[in-house]
Each structure stands twice: as C-alpha cells, then as structure tokens.
C-alpha cells in the first residue's frame, strides 16, 4: 500500500514539472505568516501531508525565542539561549522561508505583501502571528514605558531586561506584577511567573515581597497555586483580586508607580503584563473583530470574516481552548490536514483537540491543566467530563513528576516544531 | 552477479524514504498526542513514546486511564474525552507509525 501511494506521489511530483498541468500546481500554494508554535507547525505539517504543495513561511526573525519556560530564565534557572530555535529544521522539510515581515494582505486578490514590497500569491493563507501588546489600553503604558516596566510577554530582550532588574534590586524591594483581564496569552503564565520569582527571591533577596495586582477575580489553577504559595513561600506573595481593587488603571514609568482605584504602589521592579490583541497583521488582513481577536470556524479554523484565510494560535478565538503553545501546535496540525482536504476539494472531518499546560511553582513542583475539545454549535467546545487540573491533594512524588513532564513536553514540542 | 539483483531493491528503498513520501493525518485527536508523545526519540524525556507500540496495549492503557484503574497525572483527564471507537482508531494509527 505504501509502495502504491509512494508511486502515485512520485508521479504527481514528476508531472508537476511539466508545463502541461501548471494549473494543478497553482492550486497548491499555501503561505503561512508567523514562524512560532502555530505557524512553523502548520508549515511543516502541510509539507509532510502533501509534499507537492508550495509552502512559504513568512517570519522576520532568524531565531525564534520561545515563551514557555521563559519564566525559568527570570529565576536564573535557565539562560535565554536555551529558549532559542532557528529555522534550519523547518527548511529541511521543504518549506520555503521568506525572512521578512508580512506587511499587508489582500484578501480578495489573495496575496500577501512582504517587507520589500513584493507580493506573494496564495490559494490558502494561514496567519499565526501571536499577540501584540494593545498599546494605549493602559494609560501610561507605551513602548517607552515597557523599557522601564517590562512586560516580558514576548520572550527575548524583554525577558532579559526583567531578569536584570530583579538581579539589580535591593533585598527588601517590592516586585509588582500586573495581570490583565481575560482573554490573554497563557492564562496561568502570570502566576507561574510570580511563583518562580518568589522561588528566586526566597533564596537571594529574602526580605523582598511580591504583589500581584489582578484585573480578574479568579485565575487558572488558582487553588493549586495558592496552596503551593502558602506552603513554599509563606508571606512572600500577595494577590489582590479585581474585587479587592487589584485592577491596574494607570502606570507611571518615571517613578515606577502602579496605580489602582484604591492605591498607588511604588515598585522596585514592575512587570506590567498589559492587555493584548491579535498580531497586527490580523487587523490588516481584516480577520480581527472589534474585540481585537479573530473569529474562526471550528473545523479548519478559517476566518468567519474573510474566505481562504485561516487563523491559529493566540490570535484566534478558539472557544474553550486557552492561548497556549500546546494549543497553537495542536490547532496547526488540524488546520494543515484540513487545508490539504480543502485544496483537494474534499470536506475536512470534525477534529478533536487536546490542550495540556504545565506550570512550575518551583523547579521540582509542577501542576497542570488539560482539556479536550471538539466543534459544537460553531465553536470549539470542551468535551464535558474530560480535562481539569491536577488534584489538590496528592501523595508521593506527584508534583515532582509533573515538573519532569513539563520539561519533557518542552523538549518534545520544540523538537516537533523546530527540530 | 549478486549486486545486479540488489541494485533495484536499493533504489526502491531510497525512493521510499525520499521526502516525497506523504504521511497521513490520522484519526481525530491523534495529531494532538504528538505534542507530548514524540514522533522522534527525544533525549531525557520522561514521557513514553507510543509510535509503533501494539494497538491493543495503547487501547488497554487508555481505557484504564479513563476508568482510573491505572493511576495517572494527566492521562486520565485526557482519556475521558474519548470514546472506545475513537481510542481504537488512534491506537491503530500510532501502532502503524515508525517506532
Ligand atoms: C511567560 C510565558 C509562559 C508561557 N508558558 C507556556 C507553557 O508553559 N505552555 C504553553 O503551552 N504555552 C505557554 N505560553 C504561551 C505560548 O507562548 C503562546 O501561546 C504561543 O507562543 C502561541 O503561538 P502562536 O503561533 O500563536 O504565536 P507565537 O509562538 O508568538 O508566534 C508568532 C510568530 O509570528 C511572527 N510574526 C508576527 N507578526 C508577523 C508578521 N507581520 N509577519 C511575519 N511574521 C510575524 C512573530 O515574529 C512570531 O515568530 C507562555 C507564554 C508566556 C508569555
């Protein structure tokens, strides 16, 4: 069977070179914008499923810096270089790399404009540009403010800056983390960050305190985090919820002051995780709605606003699925398979997707949340009875085991995406 | 004399492993699994690979995770999202993948 299929593929590939069926080739151009967890996965999966497709990945950075495990970099448990991955592995699969930013999309003419002004035609376009900061949504917080009060919500220079600020801080200083309202990238991320900074403070600056000012009343894996904080870092972390006045309403970068309706907090280090939106190219392509995020149908993740444009990962509104690297990777594989079906004139079958997000409360204390999703009434919905968080009460080495699973997951997924 | 017979076989083998060979996407749910259960061997990973394992073993594990008969950290929560038929299809697909 494999032999027969291989033969057919070879014939198809060989005949593509012949000018007589140039039209068959024309039906197979897919452009993918964004070489992160969603986009790089989509590009290489498309090529693996249908080698005769022409797949172009558009990404300006020669090296991708991964956010998962970047909180470990803040706590000096890892170096930023361990977060970085090039695109050689992706190119080896036959994906063409356009090392530039996409600057515009013409949805009716089906072209993507590149940094040099040239236009790349597509039959199907995949957008996985991640998040952009919603500058202007938080008074006082602009690009210049982010150099004083880093968000570190896109890993790289911002992560290194926040780590340097923590290292330079006097013992006894106040670290403030501002956590945004939903939806945002990586729902448990701010609390994992608080945990690992607390871990580091407890060792190196034990008189310091960490204050989380939150625009929400509940958060992901909340009881697991709070129980672990009480056990591992008693008195170190204080969480102020929305109803307790935690919502940050303005910041003053000059004095490192974080303002709520009830108080002004003078920070030694201020990590502002600001409101976010879909990557800017999504707005330019006309696939983002008034929320700033991109509505999609739940089978092939095609935009409900523009035909032939698929949106993945953090940018998309994915029903019950959180904005995670695991989810972006899972969505990308489903989307790639669906695009192959659509280009062949077939209807893609309803998918099932899984998400699993690990958080580290300390280097050897891991907790997780999982979910299983399927299309239901036009959205990706949680399958009832499945998923949930790690148990509150455990015996033996359960938390240590989950910490090991976390690092194994990171190695596996980064190998699948970039290896 | 022998090498004459071998040559076409070798060429055939090369063609089979050439990048032109397509893979198939698998049944619903299968593609999510490889985020943790790697297609390739990953050094230092504590998460077991399932590619190339016996289908009946995968089915048994998934059912026992789902019922709780076999303790797990996350697999029980995930297995609860799949019915018997879906588990059978995923298991058969992984069993057919290169080990
Ligand atoms: C601190 C932190 C910890 C996290 N931990 C985890 C975790 O443990 N587990 C987990 O699953 N997730 C985690 N996440 C979330 C995860 O990083 C994101 O959900 C994931 O990166 C989303 O993938 P994506 O493809 O949507 O975007 P990204 O991975 O961000 O990729 C977007 C890519 O698009 C490119 N791009 C943007 N605009 C353009 C353009 N116009 N043209 C060309 N290219 C463009 C960017 O350069 C980038 O490479 C964490 C996030 C943070 C901030």
């Amino acid at each position: 069977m494999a032999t027969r299929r291989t033969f057919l593929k070879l014939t198809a590939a060989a005949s593509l070179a012949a000018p007589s069926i140039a039209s068959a080739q024309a039906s197979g151009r897919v452009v993918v914008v964004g070489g992160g967890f969603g986009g790089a996965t989509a590009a290489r999966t498309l090529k693996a499923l249908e080698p005769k497709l022409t797949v172009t990945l558009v990404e300006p950075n020669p090296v991708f810096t991964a956010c998962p495990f970047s909180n470990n970099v803040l706590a000096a448990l890892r170096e930023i270089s361990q977060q970085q991955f090039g695109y050689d592995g992706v190119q080896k699969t036959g994906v063409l790399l356009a090392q530039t930013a996409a600057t515009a999309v013409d949805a009716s003419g089906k072209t993507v404009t590149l940094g040099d002004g040239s236009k790349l035609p597509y039959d199907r376009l995949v957008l996985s540009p991640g998040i952009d900061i919603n500058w202007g949504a938080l008074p006082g917080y602009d690009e210049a403010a982010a150099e004083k009060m880093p968000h570190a919500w896109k890993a790289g220079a911002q992560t290194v800056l926040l780590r340097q600020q923590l290292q330079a801080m006097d013992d006894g200083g106040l670290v403030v983390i501002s956590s945004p309202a939903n939806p945002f990238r990586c729902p448990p991320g701010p609390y994992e960050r608080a945990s690992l900074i607390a871990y580091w403070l407890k060792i190196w600056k034990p008189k310091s305190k960490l204050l989380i000012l939150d625009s929400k009343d509940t958060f992901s894996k909340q009881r697991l985090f709070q129980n672990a904080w009480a056990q591992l870092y008693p008195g170190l972390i204080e969480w102020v919820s929305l109803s307790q006045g935690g919502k940050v309403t303005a910041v003053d970068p000059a004095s490192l002051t974080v303002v709520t309706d009830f108080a002004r907090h003078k920070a030694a280090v201020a990590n502002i995780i600001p409101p976010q939106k879909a990557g800017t190219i999504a707005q330019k392509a006309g696939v983002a709605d008034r929320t700033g995020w991109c509505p999609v149908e739940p089978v092939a993740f095609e935009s409900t606003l523009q035909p032939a444009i698929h949106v993945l990962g953090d940018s998309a509104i994915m029903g019950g699925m959180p904005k995670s690297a695991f989810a972006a990777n899972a969505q990308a594989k489903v989307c790639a398979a669906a695009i192959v079906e659509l280009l062949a004139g077939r209807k893609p079958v309803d998918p099932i997707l899984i998400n699993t997000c690990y958080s580290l409360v300390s280097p050897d204390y891991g907790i997780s949340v999982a979910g299983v999703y399927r299309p239901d009434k036009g959205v990706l919905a949680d399958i009832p009875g499945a998923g949930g968080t790690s148990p509150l009460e455990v015996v033996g080495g359960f938390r240590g085991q989950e910490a090991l699973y976390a690092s194994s997951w990171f190695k596996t997924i980064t190998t699948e995406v970039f290896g | 004399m022998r090498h004459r017979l071998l040559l076409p076989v070798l060429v055939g083998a090369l063609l089979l492993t050439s990048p032109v060979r397509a893979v198939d996407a698998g049944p619903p749910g299968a593609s999510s699994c490889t985020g943790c259960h790697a297609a390739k061997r990953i050094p230092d990973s504590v998460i077991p690979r399932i590619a190339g394992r016996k289908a009946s073993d995968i089915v048994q594990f998934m059912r026992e995770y789902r019922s709780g008969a076999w303790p797990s950290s996350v697999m029980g929560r995930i297995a609860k999202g799949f019915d018997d038929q879906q588990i059978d299809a995923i298991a058969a697909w992984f069993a057919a993948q290169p080990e």
Side-chain angles (χ1 to χ4, degrees):
Chain A
M1 210 184 91
T3 319
R4 183 179 148 76
R5 187 171 61 201
T6 307
F7 173 73
L8 289 174
K9 297 289 175 214
L10 280 172
T11 316
S15 50
L16 273 179
S20 56
I21 57 154
S23 59
Q25 193 174 26
S27 69
R29 295 163 309 183
V30 184
V31 175
V32 181
V33 173
F37 284 98
T41 305
R44 63 191 296 164
T45 307
L46 280 159
K47 203 64 196 165
L49 293 175
E50 189 48 277
K52 66 181 186 199
L53 291 178
T54 304
V55 181
T56 309
L57 179 63
V58 183
E59 164 64 52
N61 300 310
V63 170
F64 178 75
T65 306
C67 287
F69 275 78
S70 67
N71 288 328
N72 292 49
V73 176
L74 300 176
L77 296 161
R78 278 171 85 81
E79 295 308 316
I80 196 77
S81 58
Q82 292 173 276
Q83 299 296 112
Q84 294 177 325
F85 303 89
Y87 290 97
D88 289 355
V90 177
Q91 283 178 281
K92 277 196 195 118
T93 66
V95 170
L96 306 171
L97 184 69
Q99 203 197 301
T100 174
T103 56
V105 173
D106 175 358
S108 50
K110 288 193 173 177
T111 61
V112 177
T113 307
L114 303 181
D116 63 0
S118 63
K119 286 185 166 49
L120 208 54
Y122 64 81
D123 299 300
R124 292 270 161 182
L125 173 64
V126 178
L127 297 180
S128 193
I131 56 150
D132 266 318
I133 306 300
N134 194 357
W135 302 112
L138 177 61
Y141 201 67
D142 56 15
E143 270 111 322
E147 295 303 312
K148 292 251 165 32
M149 305 169 121
H151 53 77
W153 220 239
K154 290 184 172 199
Q158 279 275 308
T159 315
V160 173
L161 177 62
L162 182 55
R163 169 165 155 167
Q164 284 166 349
Q165 291 185 347
L166 288 165
Q167 302 221 332
M169 184 183 86
D170 289 335
D171 189 10
L174 175 69
V175 179
V176 176
I177 296 179
S178 161
S179 186
N182 292 322
F184 65 101
R185 158 179 280 183
C186 195
Y191 314 96
E192 179 190 68
R193 174 170 289 177
S195 307
L196 292 181
I197 291 177
Y199 170 83
W200 182 82
L201 290 174
K202 193 177 163 184
I203 297 170
W204 299 102
K205 319 224 168 181
K207 294 196 288 257
S208 308
K209 289 269 178 297
L210 193 153
L211 179 65
I212 308 171
L213 298 172
D214 213 322
S215 295
K216 301 178 290 301
D217 273 326
T218 57
F219 61 86
S220 176
K221 298 180 247 192
Q222 180 168 350
R223 287 189 63 196
L224 287 163
F225 274 115
Q226 289 180 319
N227 288 357
W229 293 343
Q231 184 196 330
L232 300 176
Y233 317 116
L236 207 162
I237 300 177
E238 185 188 348
W239 176 66
V240 186
S241 69
L242 171 69
S243 54
Q244 294 164 330
K247 183 186 161 80
V248 173
T249 53
V251 296
D252 176 33
S255 61
L256 290 189
T257 302
V258 185
V259 183
T260 67
D261 279 342
F262 300 94
R264 297 175 65 86
H265 302 275
K266 175 99 183 58
V269 172
N271 168 216
I272 307 299
I273 304 169
Q276 299 148 35
K277 61 187 175 73
T280 312
I281 192 68
Q283 274 96 49
K284 291 186 184 162
V287 293
D289 68 14
R290 284 195 320 205
T291 65
W293 306 99
C294 307
V296 294
E297 51 76 23
V299 176
F301 314 130
E302 188 168 351
S303 168
T304 56
L305 303 177
Q306 300 288 350
I309 303 182
H310 302 253
V311 191
L312 298 178
D314 288 355
S315 282
I317 302 170
M318 285 287 178
M321 271 191 120
K323 299 187 189 303
S324 76
F326 192 113
N329 169 261
Q331 290 156 11
K333 289 180 276 191
V334 164
C335 178
I339 286 176
V340 168
E341 293 301 289
L342 290 166
L343 288 173
R346 294 185 295 260
K347 191 174 171 294
V349 297
D350 275 11
I352 302 176
L353 293 98
I354 302 169
N355 178 62
T356 305
C357 284
Y358 290 100
S359 299
L360 294 177
V361 187
S362 83
D364 53 10
Y365 189 124
I367 56 178
S368 65
V369 60
V372 189
Y373 309 86
R374 59 156 155 60
D376 187 23
K377 301 182 190 77
V379 296
L380 266 191
D382 272 279
I383 293 179
T389 60
S390 314
L392 284 171
E393 304 297 335
V394 293
V395 289
F398 197 100
R399 307 287 191 217
Q401 191 66 25
E402 289 219 290
L404 286 174
Y405 286 149
S407 57
S408 295
W409 164 77
F410 185 74
K411 283 179 209 148
T412 302
I413 198 158
T414 52
T415 305
E416 184 175 53
V417 180
F418 300 104
Chain B
M1 276 312 280
R2 235 179 218 180
H3 63 276
R4 291 205 180 182
L5 281 170
L6 260 174
L7 200 61
V9 178
L10 279 176
V11 172
L14 280 176
L15 287 177
L16 275 173
T17 54
S18 81
V20 176
R21 181 179 176 186
V23 298
D24 80 289
S31 64
S32 284
C33 305
T34 59
C36 287
H37 299 281
K40 300 179 194 170
R41 234 163 270 280
I42 308 288
D44 308 326
S45 174
V46 299
I47 304 174
R49 289 179 67 247
I50 49 178
R53 296 280 290 266
K54 259 172 62 190
S56 55
D57 290 352
I58 302 174
V59 168
Q60 191 186 341
F61 267 112
M62 283 293 279
R63 291 190 184 182
E64 292 188 1
Y65 284 140
R66 191 176 56 188
S67 69
W70 192 267
S72 67
S73 61
V74 76
M75 278 312 299
R77 292 177 257 157
I78 291 170
K80 287 192 178 76
F82 294 87
D83 64 23
D84 284 350
Q85 244 185 323
Q86 291 164 338
I87 288 175
D88 289 350
I90 291 172
W93 185 78
F94 272 105
Q97 300 307 304
E99 203 193 317

